[in-house]
Amino acid sequence: MARTRVQSIATAILLSVATFHSVAFAQTRSRDDDWLAPSREAARMNPLLAHPDAARGGAKIFEQRCANCHGDEGRGTSKAPDLAAADVQAQTDGALFWKISTGNAHAGMPSFSYLPELQRWQLVLHVRSLQVR
Amino acid sequence: MRAPLVEEFLLSLRSFLVSLLAVLGAAQAAHAQERPYFVTYDHYLEEPGNVEIAVANTTGVPRAGHSAYNAPWLEVEYGATGWWTTELYLEGVTAGQDGSGFAGWRFENRFRLFKSEHRLNPVFYLEYEHVNEASRIQKEIVGSGSLPFEPIDELRHEYANELEAKLILSSAIHGWNLAENVIFEKNLSESEGIEYGYSVGVSRSLGGLASGRTCYVCAENFALGVEAYGGLGSSMERTLSGTRHFIAPVLAWHVTPRSTLKVSPAFGLTDTSDRYLMRVGFVYELPMRWRR
């Protein structure tokens, strides 16, 4: 009897999670207009600008960390925006670096501050390379 | 003709697998950072929609000639939203001739309080535990006193329902992670007051500039650190006497972008602590993708 009850509870929990997931993530993401980099952060320069080869490492990190949500080519999915879009590319390197570093938990964007700083700048280089494709 | 017990088990298993497939089929993403710590939590949550499965084991070598033990556990973590991660744990124990058995389950939730990163990032943690006295995984250490060393077959019949809360504070400073956890645990089955504990950890990735090629054994795939954890008595015993404390180097190897191997030897610092613990864990994020 107890086993049947545990089985029912476990099944109910798992089905609830599945339903929650389907409803929550089937919706198109919404843009957070309040998510703006502080001006001091936005003014930062990419220290790798003179090392365009570093973008290859950025592409690898992008594939590992970002492509699931932003898509293989960074052109966006139902979960995350198109990084080649004009409004993204219009942002400064410093602003992109800040957004990669701090994330936005409310919009589902994780923070990547655990990555070494140079790797986050490599990601910015890669995001810049998306606009010319 | 199958015995009713076997038939019931097979039915339960089928229901579980069908439900699990439903969950996994609905989830469509992967990739987060796996913390190198075993006990300390940092502020990085599971990415929304991600499912992560981990298997781990704590091997303990107690003092005073008690039997060594192994305490394996299975962990399923799910990113419910960007600010809420939920986990289910199932744990067991085996201690040679002292017996072995199922030690209980835990349901854990972590809530990130701020949407962006700050110098100090608070996360609120709440866990419900239904574990027995044989539990040995030592996912956290609270209160005082050594582990009970009666035969497992006796201990595993004494269940306790516990509520555990943590305040997690974590910072990212120039590539380093610094995390501090304060733990409060209340046994709902006994009048033991509230037990306190702590854990602190510091770690960093060993990589600098990422290479453009795929590599497995290269510095950028490793994170190294150290954590310290222990009990701080209880509201009924306001003393540190008889508390257990450990210091533990931690190493994480991101074997592939989706899998991480973690190892941590821990050294007992007081007479009530086990002499050594050896923790090993393997974490795998399910390979799922979002579409346009």
Side-chain angles (χ1 to χ4, degrees):
Chain A
M1 184 67 117
R3 192 173 291 135
T4 310
R5 200 174 64 189
V6 170
Q7 173 197 332
S8 307
I9 292 170
T11 305
I13 289 173
L14 286 165
L15 287 174
S16 303
V17 170
T19 307
F20 173 85
H21 181 95
S22 304
V23 172
F25 297 105
Q27 296 167 3
T28 307
R29 65 179 176 80
S30 56
R31 185 172 294 274
D32 182 354
D33 293 327
D34 297 330
W35 192 37
L36 299 171
S39 53
R40 198 175 123 209
E41 298 293 333
R44 291 183 69 180
M45 302 289 288
N46 190 338
L48 300 177
L49 275 179
H51 305 278
D53 286 355
R56 285 210 299 270
K60 185 177 79 175
I61 303 167
F62 185 90
E63 165 62 22
Q64 294 173 349
R65 308 278 179 189
C66 317
N68 281 321
C69 299
H70 289 282
D72 288 334
E73 302 296 324
R75 299 310 302 266
T77 67
S78 60
K79 190 181 179 187
D82 177 358
L83 297 175
D87 62 335
V88 175
Q89 294 294 332
Q91 298 177 43
T92 65
D93 282 359
L96 295 176
F97 178 84
W98 181 83
K99 290 189 171 183
I100 290 167
S101 301
T102 68
N104 182 344
H106 293 182
M109 167 73 179
S111 67
F112 289 91
S113 59
Y114 58 79
L115 289 175
E117 196 168 306
L118 283 175
Q119 291 184 17
R120 281 175 268 151
W121 284 117
Q122 283 182 284
L123 276 174
V124 174
L125 279 183
H126 178 70
V127 170
R128 287 290 178 227
S129 75
L130 298 174
Q131 67 181 329
V132 294
R133 292 185 179 182
Chain B
M1 187 172 171
R2 283 187 299 208
L5 195 62
V6 174
E7 197 154 338
E8 193 179 343
F9 173 75
L10 289 174
L11 277 171
S12 304
L13 186 65
R14 191 182 64 182
S15 303
F16 177 78
L17 289 176
V18 167
S19 307
L20 188 63
L21 283 173
V23 172
L24 302 185
Q28 300 165 31
H31 289 280
Q33 172 68 1
E34 180 57 35
R35 68 183 189 278
Y37 314 118
F38 277 87
V39 175
T40 310
Y41 283 84
D42 57 29
H43 64 290
Y44 302 107
L45 301 189
E46 190 58 66
E47 291 170 29
N50 280 13
V51 178
E52 184 182 278
I53 296 175
V55 286
N57 186 69
T58 299
T59 300
V61 180
R63 296 173 197 269
H66 293 295
S67 298
Y69 56 84
N70 281 293
W73 75 90
L74 171 73
E75 178 184 339
V76 180
E77 180 175 285
Y78 175 68
T81 70
W83 49 267
W84 172 28
T85 290
T86 185
E87 285 188 62
L88 179 68
Y89 291 79
L90 300 175
E91 58 173 279
V93 63
T94 176
Q97 292 182 339
D98 283 348
S100 57
F102 180 62
W105 56 270
R106 300 158 186 255
F107 179 56
E108 167 192 310
N109 291 279
R110 280 176 284 151
F111 305 96
R112 186 167 165 156
L113 303 182
F114 296 144
K115 79 173 184 179
S116 282
E117 188 109 348
H118 297 270
R119 282 184 193 278
L120 201 57
N121 300 286
V123 173
F124 179 63
Y125 170 113
L126 193 63
E127 181 179 74
Y128 180 79
E129 303 173 5
H130 180 70
V131 294
N132 58 43
E133 291 290 318
S135 173
R136 294 275 193 281
I137 65 171
Q138 296 172 82
K139 204 171 76 62
E140 72 284 317
I141 291 175
V142 294
S144 57
S146 63
L147 292 170
F149 285 105
E150 288 81 18
I152 300 294
D153 288 340
E154 289 177 20
L155 294 172
R156 69 191 178 92
H157 296 296
E158 297 173 32
Y159 269 93
N161 297 306
E162 296 179 332
L163 200 59
E164 180 185 309
K166 287 182 188 175
L167 176 62
I168 298 165
L169 299 171
S170 172
S171 309
I173 306 168
H174 301 300
W176 290 86
N177 172 256
L178 182 61
E180 310 88 30
N181 301 176
V182 187
I183 309 167
F184 307 88
E185 187 171 285
K186 172 70 181 150
N187 186 342
L188 304 173
S189 309
E190 304 266 351
S191 297
E192 293 177 342
I194 297 172
E195 295 180 297
Y196 307 121
Y198 72 93
S199 64
V200 293
V202 59
S203 67
R204 71 165 294 136
S205 166
L206 298 186
L209 209 59
S211 67
R213 62 188 171 78
T214 300
C215 59
Y216 297 99
V217 187
C218 49
E220 67 192 74
N221 291 342
F222 287 87
L224 191 62
V226 64
E227 63 179 337
Y229 42 85
L232 293 173
S234 71
S235 58
M236 297 176 84
E237 290 179 283
R238 293 172 187 271
T239 171
L240 293 180
S241 169
T243 52
R244 290 183 289 146
H245 301 270
F246 291 89
I247 187 156
V250 292
L251 175 70
W253 174 26
H254 302 293
V255 185
T256 70
R258 290 197 180 94
S259 59
T260 303
L261 181 65
K262 302 198 296 183
V263 179
S264 174
F267 304 93
L269 300 177
T270 60
D271 289 341
T272 45
S273 314
D274 282 358
R275 195 179 299 277
Y276 308 109
L277 301 176
M278 184 67 194
R279 300 180 192 266
V280 180
F282 183 75
V283 185
Y284 184 71
E285 291 197 22
L286 296 177
M288 292 168 282
R289 292 235 166 199
W290 294 88
R291 301 190 191 288
R292 286 177 75 90

